Amino acid sequence: PVSLTSARGVLRCIRVEPANPPPGVGTLTTPVVISANTSSVNAVFDPLTAGTTVLGMGRALPPDVIDNAMVAERTGLTEDWIVQRTGIQERRCAAPGVRPSLLAAQAAAEAMKEAGVKPDELGFILCTTLTPDTPVPATACWIQAEIGANRVPAIDLNAACSGFLYGWKIAD
């Protein structure tokens, strides 16, 4: 079975199989899950026992950077204060009209290419995001159309920061 997960323009292609993975597997923190057709996706997600390996990765980052100097100037905080409390060095900002689904689709295409997975081999698209393109149709449907996976079910799941974990469990 193949699953693709995406968030904020980063997409990882992962394999779920019953195996003993190395320690630390399953620490991905991203939101869109696309899984390939299979009759044996019955794995239970546990970071220590899930047989998850990265097959391919893709990303799509908007070019506009908002660094901590800009945030500090606007908020009256220092750059060091921001990094110490958030760990964030910079943020990316999409231009007007660039929808989250476009970034996710670009990342998905790159990850699928690296993993050797074609859109017609996918079985499910699950997008977990707090920044949907539109309330209806689901952002997953926009991703579905962009990558050409027209016969694949596509839904959104709103679960905030834990969305990736919920998405992974649903994909399993």
Side-chain angles (χ1 to χ4, degrees):
V2 175
S3 297
L4 300 175
T5 62
S6 167
R8 299 177 193 96
V10 176
L11 190 98
R12 294 175 175 91
C13 184
I14 58 174
R15 181 182 308 256
V16 179
E17 47 189 44
N20 293 322
V25 169
T27 58
L28 306 176
T29 56
T30 56
V32 174
V33 179
I34 308 169
S35 65
N37 281 321
T38 180
S39 59
S40 61
V41 182
N42 293 320
V44 174
F45 175 71
D46 179 339
L48 299 177
T49 61
T52 304
T53 57
V54 175
L55 297 178
M57 295 177 67
R59 69 181 197 167
L61 297 174
D64 296 337
V65 175
I66 300 173
D67 62 17
N68 286 338
M70 294 172 72
V71 174
E73 184 180 318
R74 294 178 189 172
T75 62
L77 303 171
T78 67
E79 292 178 55
D80 288 337
W81 188 96
I82 295 167
V83 172
Q84 288 172 354
R85 284 159 181 81
T86 67
I88 297 171
Q89 298 288 332
E90 67 179 26
R91 297 131 201 89
R92 297 291 178 133
C93 185
V98 176
R99 302 182 323 268
S101 65
L102 293 175
L103 295 172
Q106 290 170 7
E110 189 176 308
M112 287 188 297
K113 180 178 179 183
E114 185 175 308
V117 175
K118 297 175 184 160
D120 62 352
E121 295 175 310
L122 300 175
F124 186 69
I125 301 172
L126 172 62
C127 176
T128 62
T129 182
L130 285 175
T131 56
D133 288 8
T134 54
V136 176
T139 299
C141 294
W142 295 109
I143 297 166
Q144 173 196 48
E146 286 291 326
I147 65 174
N150 301 324
R151 299 172 77 64
V152 178
I155 64 169
D156 283 358
L157 170 68
N158 180 336
C161 297
S162 61
F164 171 76
L165 295 176
Y166 283 106
W168 192 328
K169 184 64 179 168
I170 290 170
D172 282 347

